[in-house]
Amino acid sequence: MGGRTNAAADDDDYVDIDDTGPEGLKGADGGYAWEEEYKRSWDAIQEDASGSIQSSVLGISDQRKRRRQRQQHDTSLVQRGIMRHVMLVLDESEAMSVRDLAPTRIHAAQALLARFVSEFFDQNPISQLSVVATKDGLAERLTELSSNPADHVRALQAKSNRDLAGEPSLQNALELSMHALKRAPGHGLREIICVVGSLTTCDPGDIEQTLQALRHSGIRVSMVHLAAEVHVFRRICHETRGTFAVAVDADDMQDALFECIPPPCVPATKATSDMVRMGFPVKAQGDAPTACVCHHELSYTGFVCPRCRSKVCSLPTDCDVCGLALVAAPHLARSYRHLFPEPNFVEKPSGGVVCAGCGAAGEGSSKAAFECPRCECGFCLECDIFIHETLHNCPGCI
C-alpha cells in the first residue's frame, strides 16, 4: 500500500510538458515568439552568380560602417570637461570565464580595454585614469591616477589579473573609486567606467548609501554589461547621469565602451569658470643620470618642472613635489577640438562624385557622398568615419 501511495504522489508531482507549445506562443512567421528576437546572420550571406560570397560579406561590412556613421556625434557647442579623472573598473569574477565572447569574456575585455586606454589618452591627453579590479567580494586598485597609458595597459594585460574567483563587489569597487576621486582636483570631471559580466554583486552594506554618496560627490558612473541588464546597475548609471549598455558581441562592446571616450557635458551645477595653473616644462638632457620624482629611477633625459626644478619622466602629469600640472602645448591643442567638434556630414547621392579625401569615385553603396556643411566637399563613407573618429578636422576646411 505504501509503495502505491508513493507512486501516486510521484505521479501527482509529474507535469506533462507539451513540446509543441500552445498556439499563443507562435510568432508571425510560425515560429516561437522568442525566436524572433534573434537573427540568423548566416542566412544573410548569399552566393552571387559566380558562386562567390564576397559581395554579401562586403555588404555586411558596409552595413556596420553605416551603423557607425549613423551614430551622429554630439556637435553642440556646450561646455565640456576636458580634464577628466576616470576610474576604470574591471570585473574579474568567475562570470568572466564564460566563452560567449572569444576566447573568454575576460580575454576579450582586457584586449578591448587596452585599446580603450590608448584611444582615451589620444583624445583626452590632459586627463588621468586608474584601473580597479573586483573579484571574490573585494576590490583592488591596480594603478594610481596618472596619464601614462603604458602603466595601465601593462596592468590590464598582467597574467595575475586572469585568475578569476568568486563574485564581484560593485559597492566595494565604487567606494574605492570614490575614495581615490575625492583627492582629485575640483575643476575636473570625476567618472567611473565599469565593465561587468556578472549578474550578481556581493556587497558588505547598503548600496543605496553608496548611490547617495555618488550623487553628492558629483561622480558620473557608466557601465557596459556583457550578459544582461541588471536593475540596480542601470539605476546607478541613470541617477548619476551616466550611460548603461548591454553588449551582445565584441563589436557592440567596443561601440558602447568607446562612446565613453569623448568628454561629457559639464553639469549645470558645476558649469563655472576656474583658472587652472599649469606649467610647461622644458626637456633636458644631462651628462650624468639623475633620479626622477615620479618613479625614483635614474635617467639622462626628463622634463624639468618650471616651479620647483624637479624632473619627471613623461607628460602630462602632476609634479610630485609642488603639485603643479605639467603639460605640453600639443596636449592642450588636442583637447581643444572637443570644445569645437567637427560638424556631422550630410549624406547626398553619389552621382560619380570624387571623394575629396582618398580620391575614390562614387561607385557602389559604400561610396555614397557625405558633404561637409561648411566647405561643401564630398567624402566617401570610409573617409567620413576617419574624419570624425580619428582626424577630427575636415581636409577641405583646413
Side-chain angles (χ1 to χ4, degrees):
M1 180 68 68
R4 294 178 60 185
T5 304
N6 293 337
D10 293 340
D11 293 339
D12 294 338
D13 295 336
Y14 177 78
V15 179
D16 186 13
I17 300 177
D18 186 5
D19 295 338
T20 60
E23 293 299 329
L25 297 179
K26 296 291 185 179
D29 58 350
Y32 289 108
W34 60 268
E35 292 179 338
E36 297 180 358
E37 300 178 2
Y38 300 91
K39 297 181 180 179
R40 299 163 58 93
S41 58
W42 52 87
D43 290 343
I45 300 179
Q46 302 291 335
E47 296 182 356
D48 55 13
S50 61
S52 175
I53 63 173
Q54 183 178 2
S55 58
S56 297
V57 174
L58 292 177
I60 295 176
S61 177
D62 183 61
Q63 290 178 3
R64 290 181 178 178
K65 292 179 181 179
R66 287 183 174 275
R67 185 184 64 178
R68 292 170 57 188
Q69 194 275 338
R70 283 196 300 267
Q71 295 175 350
Q72 298 290 312
H73 302 272
D74 187 7
T75 59
S76 55
L77 298 180
V78 296
Q79 183 176 355
R80 298 182 182 274
I82 60 176
M83 300 187 65
R84 307 165 64 186
H85 301 86
V86 179
M87 304 295 294
L88 189 60
V89 179
L90 176 61
D91 180 10
E92 293 185 355
S93 64
E94 293 180 353
M96 296 295 287
S97 62
V98 180
R99 299 182 178 274
D100 53 356
L101 296 176
T104 60
R105 288 180 180 176
I106 187 64
H107 287 82
Q110 287 177 338
L112 183 57
L113 287 177
R115 295 171 50 194
F116 170 82
V117 170
S118 301
E119 186 69 18
F120 176 84
F121 284 109
D122 181 70
Q123 298 192 26
N124 303 270
I126 59 176
S127 300
Q128 294 185 346
L129 187 140
S130 175
V131 180
V132 175
T134 173
K135 62 181 177 180
D136 221 1
L138 303 174
E140 176 186 6
R141 193 191 312 181
L142 303 181
T143 59
E144 299 293 334
L145 276 171
S146 68
S147 301
N148 190 353
D151 294 341
H152 305 308
V153 173
R154 194 179 305 112
L156 287 170
Q157 296 177 345
K159 293 183 179 180
S160 59
N161 296 338
R162 298 177 182 176
D163 298 334
L164 310 179
E167 296 181 351
S169 178
L170 181 63
Q171 185 180 21
N172 284 334
L174 295 178
E175 292 285 352
L176 180 63
S177 301
M178 275 196 301
H179 180 72
L181 292 175
K182 284 182 179 179
R183 293 178 289 182
H187 54 260
L189 290 183
R190 306 174 183 181
E191 304 174 57
I192 302 175
I193 301 176
C194 306
V195 178
V196 186
S198 175
L199 296 174
T200 59
T201 173
C202 182
D203 298 331
D206 186 6
I207 201 170
E208 289 291 338
Q209 298 179 359
T210 304
L211 177 57
Q212 294 178 5
L214 289 170
R215 290 200 303 261
H216 179 73
S217 302
I219 298 177
R220 172 189 174 104
V221 180
S222 300
M223 189 175 302
V224 178
H225 207 289
L226 307 182
E229 179 179 324
V230 181
H231 173 71
V232 65
F233 297 168
R234 186 178 186 88
R235 181 164 168 260
I236 290 176
C237 298
H238 176 72
E239 297 194 8
T240 57
R241 297 184 298 273
T243 59
F244 181 87
V246 178
V248 298
D249 53 20
D251 294 335
D252 200 17
M253 178 171 61
Q254 176 179 341
D255 294 341
L257 191 60
F258 276 45
E259 286 182 1
C260 301
I261 292 181
C265 302
V266 177
T269 57
K270 197 177 180 180
T272 57
S273 300
D274 297 329
M275 298 296 293
V276 180
R277 189 182 298 273
M278 292 184 175
F280 297 87
V282 179
K283 187 175 183 179
Q285 184 173 1
D287 298 333
T290 55
C292 64
V293 297
C294 48
H295 300 94
H296 305 288
E297 297 179 354
L298 295 176
S299 61
Y300 288 92
T301 61
F303 298 90
V304 180
C305 176
R307 174 187 287 177
C308 64
R309 311 303 298 177
S310 300
K311 189 179 77 171
V312 296
C313 296
S314 60
L315 299 177
T317 185
D318 293 335
C319 181
D320 292 344
V321 176
C322 62
L324 181 65
L326 304 178
V327 297
H331 296 151
L332 293 180
R334 283 156 54 189
S335 301
Y336 183 77
R337 65 169 178 255
H338 294 295
L339 303 180
F340 299 94
E342 190 67 24
N344 295 313
F345 292 172
V346 181
E347 184 173 2
K348 296 293 182 71
S350 59
V353 177
V354 178
C355 176
C358 62
E363 299 176 357
S365 59
S366 63
K367 298 301 179 183
F370 295 90
E371 186 179 282
C372 176
R374 293 185 298 191
C375 65
E376 298 183 353
C377 291
F379 298 91
C380 63
L381 177 62
E382 289 80 3
C383 290
D384 182 12
I385 297 176
F386 177 76
I387 290 172
H388 286 90
E389 294 186 356
T390 304
L391 194 59
H392 302 286
N393 287 285
C394 175
C397 298
I398 298 178

